[in-house]
Amino acid sequence: SSTGRKEITEAATLANGNLANGNHLAKEETGPTQEQLENIRRLKLLKYPELEGNHGKFFEFKGGFGGSGAMGTEDSSHWLNVALENYKPEADNPSWKGVHRTELVGKRGESPKFHVRYFEVQAGGHSSLEKHEHEHVVICIRGEGRCLVRQRQWKMHFGDVCYTSPWDVHQFACPRDAEEPFGFFCIVNAVRDKPVLVDREGFETGLASSCG
């Protein structure tokens, strides 16, 4: 809105003015003042509202799929100020390998009936072979991979969409010789049951699976 642009302009002018007024200070005084830091914080909040809470917000994507990759730390994912997480908490579970997840919408106080997550599977990696009552939609946005749904397999490329219906046995994997990870958005029910891990024949394995 014009009001929002005015606020950003005024905050930027104030921050720049304070920095300019500080040019006459002694050379040994380095770094911004508390007032300047506060103005910078105000600017950031105007452009990037707090990620927590049920209000309009914006997740800025880092070009080139950047990010530190340091698991669980702030700003480690491909989106600014969003942490990268393990695919599932039980990292030693043999049902999956080389998968990371990024929670975008649904876990920070929003109220939609769906959640939006981003998953990335490394070369040779795969998600759990599982089934559950809830459904989800997967949209490939990076690299290429394979999706298994029931007894069918498809190769997924950029823009391809895969729908998993209730109780479909499914799995997502990235080829061993892939030059880049297989990345995809997964849109899922906000209220959902826990996945049930199965073997290649579709029988339940009895292994625990904490989330889907």
Side-chain angles (χ1 to χ4, degrees), residues 8 12-13 30 37 52 54 67 77 85 90 93 98 120 134 139 152 161 163 168 178 184 190 211:
I8 293 175
T13 302
T30 59
L37 289 174
E52 297 291 337
N54 195 12
S77 75
E85 303 175 29
E90 57 274 12
N93 192 319
E120 202 163 84
H134 64 270
I139 306 170
R152 297 182 177 180
V161 179
Y163 168 70
D168 280 345
F184 54 87
C211 58

PDB file of all heavy atoms in Angstrom, residues 8 12-13 30 37 52 54 67 77 85 90 93 98 120 134 139 152 161 163 168 178 184 190 211:
ATOM      1  N   ILE A   8       8.228   2.753   4.853  1.00  0.00           N
ATOM      2  CA  ILE A   8       9.546   2.234   4.491  1.00  0.00           C
ATOM      3  C   ILE A   8      10.475   3.368   4.089  1.00  0.00           C
ATOM      4  O   ILE A   8      11.628   3.440   4.491  1.00  0.00           O
ATOM      5  CB  ILE A   8       9.423   1.212   3.340  1.00  0.00           C
ATOM      6  CG1 ILE A   8       8.679  -0.035   3.837  1.00  0.00           C
ATOM      7  CG2 ILE A   8      10.795   0.835   2.805  1.00  0.00           C
ATOM      8  CD1 ILE A   8       8.412  -1.041   2.750  1.00  0.00           C
ATOM      9  N   ALA A  12      13.825   4.427   6.011  1.00  0.00           N
ATOM     10  CA  ALA A  12      15.097   4.387   5.296  1.00  0.00           C
ATOM     11  C   ALA A  12      15.793   5.740   5.356  1.00  0.00           C
ATOM     12  O   ALA A  12      17.008   5.835   5.542  1.00  0.00           O
ATOM     13  CB  ALA A  12      14.853   3.984   3.840  1.00  0.00           C
ATOM     14  N   THR A  13      15.006   6.827   5.190  1.00  0.00           N
ATOM     15  CA  THR A  13      15.573   8.176   5.257  1.00  0.00           C
ATOM     16  C   THR A  13      16.169   8.442   6.631  1.00  0.00           C
ATOM     17  O   THR A  13      17.263   9.001   6.757  1.00  0.00           O
ATOM     18  CB  THR A  13      14.490   9.230   4.953  1.00  0.00           C
ATOM     19  OG1 THR A  13      13.944   8.980   3.660  1.00  0.00           O
ATOM     20  CG2 THR A  13      15.069  10.629   5.011  1.00  0.00           C
ATOM     21  N   THR A  30      33.496   2.551  15.638  1.00  0.00           N
ATOM     22  CA  THR A  30      33.046   1.721  14.521  1.00  0.00           C
ATOM     23  C   THR A  30      31.721   1.054  14.872  1.00  0.00           C
ATOM     24  O   THR A  30      31.377   0.888  16.032  1.00  0.00           O
ATOM     25  CB  THR A  30      34.086   0.641  14.207  1.00  0.00           C
ATOM     26  OG1 THR A  30      34.276  -0.165  15.379  1.00  0.00           O
ATOM     27  CG2 THR A  30      35.406   1.258  13.781  1.00  0.00           C
ATOM     28  N   LEU A  37      20.644   0.698  14.676  1.00  0.00           N
ATOM     29  CA  LEU A  37      20.232  -0.702  14.692  1.00  0.00           C
ATOM     30  C   LEU A  37      18.716  -0.834  14.797  1.00  0.00           C
ATOM     31  O   LEU A  37      18.108  -1.697  14.163  1.00  0.00           O
ATOM     32  CB  LEU A  37      20.907  -1.435  15.858  1.00  0.00           C
ATOM     33  CG  LEU A  37      22.410  -1.696  15.719  1.00  0.00           C
ATOM     34  CD1 LEU A  37      22.965  -2.281  17.008  1.00  0.00           C
ATOM     35  CD2 LEU A  37      22.688  -2.635  14.550  1.00  0.00           C
ATOM     36  N   GLU A  52       6.270 -15.752  12.954  1.00  0.00           N
ATOM     37  CA  GLU A  52       5.332 -16.353  13.886  1.00  0.00           C
ATOM     38  C   GLU A  52       4.044 -15.534  13.940  1.00  0.00           C
ATOM     39  O   GLU A  52       4.079 -14.313  13.942  1.00  0.00           O
ATOM     40  CB  GLU A  52       5.951 -16.424  15.284  1.00  0.00           C
ATOM     41  CG  GLU A  52       7.188 -17.302  15.386  1.00  0.00           C
ATOM     42  CD  GLU A  52       6.875 -18.776  15.222  1.00  0.00           C
ATOM     43  OE1 GLU A  52       5.708 -19.171  15.459  1.00  0.00           O
ATOM     44  OE2 GLU A  52       7.786 -19.543  14.864  1.00  0.00           O
ATOM     45  N   ASN A  54      -0.521 -15.391  13.087  1.00  0.00           N
ATOM     46  CA  ASN A  54      -1.492 -15.514  12.008  1.00  0.00           C
ATOM     47  C   ASN A  54      -1.732 -14.156  11.358  1.00  0.00           C
ATOM     48  O   ASN A  54      -2.700 -13.457  11.659  1.00  0.00           O
ATOM     49  CB  ASN A  54      -2.804 -16.090  12.551  1.00  0.00           C
ATOM     50  CG  ASN A  54      -3.709 -16.572  11.437  1.00  0.00           C
ATOM     51  OD1 ASN A  54      -3.290 -16.679  10.292  1.00  0.00           O
ATOM     52  ND2 ASN A  54      -4.955 -16.863  11.772  1.00  0.00           N
ATOM     53  N   GLY A  67      21.710 -21.312   1.109  1.00  0.00           N
ATOM     54  CA  GLY A  67      21.410 -21.675   2.487  1.00  0.00           C
ATOM     55  C   GLY A  67      22.592 -22.398   3.088  1.00  0.00           C
ATOM     56  O   GLY A  67      23.313 -23.110   2.396  1.00  0.00           O
ATOM     57  N   SER A  77      17.854 -22.694   5.595  1.00  0.00           N
ATOM     58  CA  SER A  77      17.162 -23.272   4.445  1.00  0.00           C
ATOM     59  C   SER A  77      17.311 -22.381   3.216  1.00  0.00           C
ATOM     60  O   SER A  77      18.070 -21.419   3.213  1.00  0.00           O
ATOM     61  CB  SER A  77      15.681 -23.460   4.776  1.00  0.00           C
ATOM     62  OG  SER A  77      15.009 -22.204   4.757  1.00  0.00           O
ATOM     63  N   GLU A  85      15.283 -28.545   8.492  1.00  0.00           N
ATOM     64  CA  GLU A  85      15.033 -29.608   9.463  1.00  0.00           C
ATOM     65  C   GLU A  85      15.247 -30.983   8.833  1.00  0.00           C
ATOM     66  O   GLU A  85      15.241 -31.128   7.610  1.00  0.00           O
ATOM     67  CB  GLU A  85      13.590 -29.528   9.972  1.00  0.00           C
ATOM     68  CG  GLU A  85      13.202 -28.197  10.588  1.00  0.00           C
ATOM     69  CD  GLU A  85      11.729 -28.149  10.950  1.00  0.00           C
ATOM     70  OE1 GLU A  85      11.164 -29.229  11.254  1.00  0.00           O
ATOM     71  OE2 GLU A  85      11.148 -27.054  10.919  1.00  0.00           O
ATOM     72  N   GLU A  90      13.349 -38.837  13.974  1.00  0.00           N
ATOM     73  CA  GLU A  90      14.142 -40.030  14.247  1.00  0.00           C
ATOM     74  C   GLU A  90      15.164 -40.239  13.120  1.00  0.00           C
ATOM     75  O   GLU A  90      14.965 -41.007  12.184  1.00  0.00           O
ATOM     76  CB  GLU A  90      13.251 -41.267  14.427  1.00  0.00           C
ATOM     77  CG  GLU A  90      12.341 -41.598  13.263  1.00  0.00           C
ATOM     78  CD  GLU A  90      11.020 -40.869  13.275  1.00  0.00           C
ATOM     79  OE1 GLU A  90      10.878 -39.926  14.070  1.00  0.00           O
ATOM     80  OE2 GLU A  90      10.133 -41.224  12.491  1.00  0.00           O
ATOM     81  N   ASN A  93      16.315 -43.709  11.772  1.00  0.00           N
ATOM     82  CA  ASN A  93      15.330 -44.626  11.211  1.00  0.00           C
ATOM     83  C   ASN A  93      15.779 -45.061   9.813  1.00  0.00           C
ATOM     84  O   ASN A  93      15.966 -44.221   8.927  1.00  0.00           O
ATOM     85  CB  ASN A  93      13.959 -43.947  11.147  1.00  0.00           C
ATOM     86  CG  ASN A  93      12.836 -44.919  10.851  1.00  0.00           C
ATOM     87  OD1 ASN A  93      12.960 -45.812  10.031  1.00  0.00           O
ATOM     88  ND2 ASN A  93      11.715 -44.739  11.522  1.00  0.00           N
ATOM     89  N   GLY A  98      18.834 -39.358   3.476  1.00  0.00           N
ATOM     90  CA  GLY A  98      19.220 -38.162   2.736  1.00  0.00           C
ATOM     91  C   GLY A  98      18.093 -37.215   2.382  1.00  0.00           C
ATOM     92  O   GLY A  98      18.064 -36.693   1.264  1.00  0.00           O
ATOM     93  N   GLU A 120      13.656 -31.924   0.224  1.00  0.00           N
ATOM     94  CA  GLU A 120      14.767 -32.067  -0.714  1.00  0.00           C
ATOM     95  C   GLU A 120      15.458 -33.401  -0.456  1.00  0.00           C
ATOM     96  O   GLU A 120      15.864 -33.701   0.668  1.00  0.00           O
ATOM     97  CB  GLU A 120      15.759 -30.908  -0.540  1.00  0.00           C
ATOM     98  CG  GLU A 120      16.621 -30.678  -1.760  1.00  0.00           C
ATOM     99  CD  GLU A 120      17.284 -29.303  -1.729  1.00  0.00           C
ATOM    100  OE1 GLU A 120      18.351 -29.194  -1.091  1.00  0.00           O
ATOM    101  OE2 GLU A 120      16.739 -28.358  -2.338  1.00  0.00           O
ATOM    102  N   HIS A 134      -4.521 -39.420   5.301  1.00  0.00           N
ATOM    103  CA  HIS A 134      -4.572 -38.093   4.676  1.00  0.00           C
ATOM    104  C   HIS A 134      -3.943 -38.124   3.279  1.00  0.00           C
ATOM    105  O   HIS A 134      -3.176 -39.020   2.939  1.00  0.00           O
ATOM    106  CB  HIS A 134      -3.882 -37.051   5.564  1.00  0.00           C
ATOM    107  CG  HIS A 134      -2.410 -37.276   5.754  1.00  0.00           C
ATOM    108  ND1 HIS A 134      -1.892 -38.038   6.780  1.00  0.00           N
ATOM    109  CD2 HIS A 134      -1.336 -36.832   5.053  1.00  0.00           C
ATOM    110  CE1 HIS A 134      -0.576 -38.056   6.720  1.00  0.00           C
ATOM    111  NE2 HIS A 134      -0.206 -37.329   5.672  1.00  0.00           N
ATOM    112  N   ILE A 139       4.776 -31.198  -5.766  1.00  0.00           N
ATOM    113  CA  ILE A 139       5.093 -30.425  -6.976  1.00  0.00           C
ATOM    114  C   ILE A 139       6.609 -30.286  -7.074  1.00  0.00           C
ATOM    115  O   ILE A 139       7.248 -29.678  -6.215  1.00  0.00           O
ATOM    116  CB  ILE A 139       4.448 -29.024  -6.928  1.00  0.00           C
ATOM    117  CG1 ILE A 139       2.940 -29.138  -6.673  1.00  0.00           C
ATOM    118  CG2 ILE A 139       4.734 -28.266  -8.227  1.00  0.00           C
ATOM    119  CD1 ILE A 139       2.276 -27.810  -6.374  1.00  0.00           C
ATOM    120  N   ARG A 152       2.674 -48.087  -9.233  1.00  0.00           N
ATOM    121  CA  ARG A 152       3.130 -47.294 -10.374  1.00  0.00           C
ATOM    122  C   ARG A 152       4.310 -46.413 -10.002  1.00  0.00           C
ATOM    123  O   ARG A 152       4.416 -45.927  -8.872  1.00  0.00           O
ATOM    124  CB  ARG A 152       1.992 -46.412 -10.896  1.00  0.00           C
ATOM    125  CG  ARG A 152       0.802 -47.176 -11.442  1.00  0.00           C
ATOM    126  CD  ARG A 152      -0.241 -46.211 -11.971  1.00  0.00           C
ATOM    127  NE  ARG A 152      -1.380 -46.904 -12.565  1.00  0.00           N
ATOM    128  CZ  ARG A 152      -2.428 -46.284 -13.109  1.00  0.00           C
ATOM    129  NH1 ARG A 152      -2.479 -44.960 -13.117  1.00  0.00           N
ATOM    130  NH2 ARG A 152      -3.420 -46.976 -13.630  1.00  0.00           N
ATOM    131  N   VAL A 161       3.401 -32.776 -11.172  1.00  0.00           N
ATOM    132  CA  VAL A 161       2.588 -32.832  -9.956  1.00  0.00           C
ATOM    133  C   VAL A 161       2.156 -34.274  -9.691  1.00  0.00           C
ATOM    134  O   VAL A 161       1.735 -34.986 -10.616  1.00  0.00           O
ATOM    135  CB  VAL A 161       1.326 -31.938 -10.088  1.00  0.00           C
ATOM    136  CG1 VAL A 161       0.469 -32.028  -8.832  1.00  0.00           C
ATOM    137  CG2 VAL A 161       1.733 -30.490 -10.362  1.00  0.00           C
ATOM    138  N   TYR A 163      -0.295 -36.590  -7.065  1.00  0.00           N
ATOM    139  CA  TYR A 163      -1.324 -36.614  -6.025  1.00  0.00           C
ATOM    140  C   TYR A 163      -1.353 -38.000  -5.383  1.00  0.00           C
ATOM    141  O   TYR A 163      -1.412 -39.021  -6.078  1.00  0.00           O
ATOM    142  CB  TYR A 163      -2.690 -36.284  -6.612  1.00  0.00           C
ATOM    143  CG  TYR A 163      -3.847 -36.569  -5.682  1.00  0.00           C
ATOM    144  CD1 TYR A 163      -4.051 -35.791  -4.539  1.00  0.00           C
ATOM    145  CD2 TYR A 163      -4.728 -37.631  -5.931  1.00  0.00           C
ATOM    146  CE1 TYR A 163      -5.107 -36.060  -3.672  1.00  0.00           C
ATOM    147  CE2 TYR A 163      -5.789 -37.895  -5.071  1.00  0.00           C
ATOM    148  CZ  TYR A 163      -5.959 -37.108  -3.944  1.00  0.00           C
ATOM    149  OH  TYR A 163      -6.994 -37.378  -3.085  1.00  0.00           O
ATOM    150  N   ASP A 168      -2.737 -44.705  -0.115  1.00  0.00           N
ATOM    151  CA  ASP A 168      -1.812 -45.097  -1.179  1.00  0.00           C
ATOM    152  C   ASP A 168      -0.426 -45.354  -0.582  1.00  0.00           C
ATOM    153  O   ASP A 168       0.116 -44.502   0.132  1.00  0.00           O
ATOM    154  CB  ASP A 168      -1.670 -43.986  -2.230  1.00  0.00           C
ATOM    155  CG  ASP A 168      -2.800 -43.951  -3.221  1.00  0.00           C
ATOM    156  OD1 ASP A 168      -3.559 -44.940  -3.286  1.00  0.00           O
ATOM    157  OD2 ASP A 168      -2.922 -42.937  -3.934  1.00  0.00           O
ATOM    158  N   ALA A 178      22.225 -38.479  -9.829  1.00  0.00           N
ATOM    159  CA  ALA A 178      21.658 -37.139 -10.040  1.00  0.00           C
ATOM    160  C   ALA A 178      22.706 -36.059  -9.799  1.00  0.00           C
ATOM    161  O   ALA A 178      23.522 -36.166  -8.879  1.00  0.00           O
ATOM    162  CB  ALA A 178      20.470 -36.928  -9.111  1.00  0.00           C
ATOM    163  N   PHE A 184      10.937 -30.674  -3.858  1.00  0.00           N
ATOM    164  CA  PHE A 184       9.518 -30.539  -4.179  1.00  0.00           C
ATOM    165  C   PHE A 184       8.737 -29.925  -3.025  1.00  0.00           C
ATOM    166  O   PHE A 184       9.072 -30.096  -1.849  1.00  0.00           O
ATOM    167  CB  PHE A 184       8.904 -31.900  -4.533  1.00  0.00           C
ATOM    168  CG  PHE A 184       9.109 -32.982  -3.499  1.00  0.00           C
ATOM    169  CD1 PHE A 184       8.223 -33.136  -2.438  1.00  0.00           C
ATOM    170  CD2 PHE A 184      10.173 -33.863  -3.591  1.00  0.00           C
ATOM    171  CE1 PHE A 184       8.389 -34.140  -1.491  1.00  0.00           C
ATOM    172  CE2 PHE A 184      10.365 -34.876  -2.651  1.00  0.00           C
ATOM    173  CZ  PHE A 184       9.471 -35.011  -1.600  1.00  0.00           C
ATOM    174  N   ALA A 190      -3.844 -30.028   7.159  1.00  0.00           N
ATOM    175  CA  ALA A 190      -3.337 -29.504   8.428  1.00  0.00           C
ATOM    176  C   ALA A 190      -3.565 -30.515   9.554  1.00  0.00           C
ATOM    177  O   ALA A 190      -2.688 -30.751  10.384  1.00  0.00           O
ATOM    178  CB  ALA A 190      -4.022 -28.179   8.760  1.00  0.00           C
ATOM    179  N   CYS A 211       5.863 -38.342  11.965  1.00  0.00           N
ATOM    180  CA  CYS A 211       5.130 -37.275  11.278  1.00  0.00           C
ATOM    181  C   CYS A 211       5.085 -37.539   9.795  1.00  0.00           C
ATOM    182  O   CYS A 211       5.826 -38.378   9.266  1.00  0.00           O
ATOM    183  CB  CYS A 211       5.787 -35.916  11.544  1.00  0.00           C
ATOM    184  SG  CYS A 211       7.503 -35.822  11.041  1.00  0.00           S
TER     185      CYS A 211
END
